[in-house]
Amino acid sequence: MAVKTESRSVTIATADGSCDAFVAHPAGDGPHPAVLFYMDAIGLRPVLEDMARELASHGYYVLVPNLFYRSGPAPVVEVTDLSTPERRAEFFGKVMPLVHALTPDLALRDAESYLGFLAAQDQVGSGPVGLTGYCMGGVLSLRTAARFPDRVAAAASFHGGHLATEAPDSPHRSAGDVRAELYFGHASEDDSMNAEHISRLETALDAAGVTYRSEVYPDTVHGFTMSDTAAYSEAGLARHWEALLDLFARTLKQA
């Protein structure tokens, strides 16, 4: 049953500065299981804050950091109308350099700070955390689960791209380090995560003995959970919530 929530902006000290972030959690005292929510490439914005509040209403303390904080507070790139190809091309022309600048080493160094922030909160239980990530955040969800296996019990990726490439540092190559239960919700039309990539990911997970579910959402494109974009699928978002809440309910135990 959904509960009343509270939310606010916070600042997290990292090795490279101060990261602005958004927090949502059930009203009143905890403790509650913690969730680190990794944004998509569009950035920290109202739609993600609404999603964090929704997740918090089911009993979780949710942290959504601005992953691009090194370039300034959110919105680092002002989000305008993304409904036309021309506007999308202009926007992503500004955003993609930020995505590429966030190397795996930097992202995982930040992840340690985010996990440390969560552990220090009075309303957060002492048990392991959950992760959920969207688009580029899906990649970071898998990487973080592999880097911090003792601290992550569950990790989800929705329309995550480039999870299983031929690159030496492709996320799927770290499957052997994962102890968390994983969930992948793939778009049916996504050049960054097509059927070949999905097969490569699942082969690596199977070989590593990881517990996971990997599902393709029909009639969806990359970004389908985001209601402020043309990629949005109402059915896809609803199915995402069902899968995510099921994963966390089974794996995140209140301390």
Side-chain angles (χ1 to χ4, degrees), residues 32 37 49 85 96 120 135 141 144 148 164 197 200 206 210 246:
H32 308 288
F37 183 125
E49 295 175 357
M96 290 314 294
C135 180
S141 186
T144 303
F148 303 99
H197 301 141
R200 183 183 296 152
D206 288 336
V210 176
D246 172 70

Side-chain angles (χ1 to χ4, degrees), residues 41 68 92-107 136 162:
F68 300 148
F92 282 103
K94 299 175 182 177
V95 164
M96 290 314 294
L98 302 177
V99 174
H100 295 314
L102 187 63
T103 65
D105 285 344
L106 289 178
M136 63 175 278
H162 308 295

Side-chain angles (χ1 to χ4, degrees), residues 126-143:
S126 60
V129 307
L131 312 173
T132 185
Y134 305 82
C135 180
M136 63 175 278
V139 172
L140 296 182
S141 186
L142 179 53
R143 290 195 190 279

Side-chain angles (χ1 to χ4, degrees), residues 63-231:
L63 171 67
V64 192
N66 167 26
L67 302 180
F68 300 148
Y69 72 88
R70 291 176 179 84
S71 298
V76 178
V77 178
E78 195 67 39
V79 181
T80 57
D81 180 10
L82 301 179
S83 62
T84 67
E86 294 78 16
R87 290 288 185 90
R88 287 178 63 84
E90 179 184 3
F91 177 81
F92 282 103
K94 299 175 182 177
V95 164
M96 290 314 294
L98 302 177
V99 174
H100 295 314
L102 187 63
T103 65
D105 285 344
L106 289 178
L108 291 172
R109 191 160 74 200
D110 289 342
E112 187 163 17
S113 298
Y114 304 150
L115 293 173
F117 171 87
L118 288 170
Q121 305 310 302
D122 292 339
Q123 291 167 303
V124 170
S126 60
V129 307
L131 312 173
T132 185
Y134 305 82
C135 180
M136 63 175 278
V139 172
L140 296 182
S141 186
L142 179 53
R143 290 195 190 279
T144 303
R147 176 61 64 88
F148 303 99
D150 295 333
R151 300 165 74 175
V152 178
S157 165
F158 295 95
H159 47 81
H162 308 295
L163 290 167
T165 72
E166 296 181 357
D169 64 346
S170 175
H172 80 289
R173 301 187 190 278
S174 64
D177 296 324
V178 173
R179 297 181 191 170
E181 181 175 339
L182 305 181
Y183 179 87
F184 300 91
H186 308 289
S188 59
E189 300 294 331
D190 189 346
D191 291 339
S192 69
M193 200 64 194
N194 60 29
E196 179 182 351
H197 301 141
I198 293 172
S199 176
R200 183 183 296 152
L201 171 65
E202 293 175 352
T203 297
L205 295 171
D206 288 336
V210 176
T211 300
Y212 74 94
R213 285 172 59 198
S214 175
E215 301 181 321
V216 176
Y217 287 31
D219 303 317
T220 58
V221 298
H222 184 81
F224 63 82
T225 61
M226 297 299 148
S227 62
D228 60 347
T229 73

Side-chain angles (χ1 to χ4, degrees), residues 237-249:
L237 178 63
R239 181 174 173 179
H240 140 277
W241 281 123
E242 181 179 352
L244 186 62
L245 293 172
D246 172 70
L247 175 68
F248 287 166

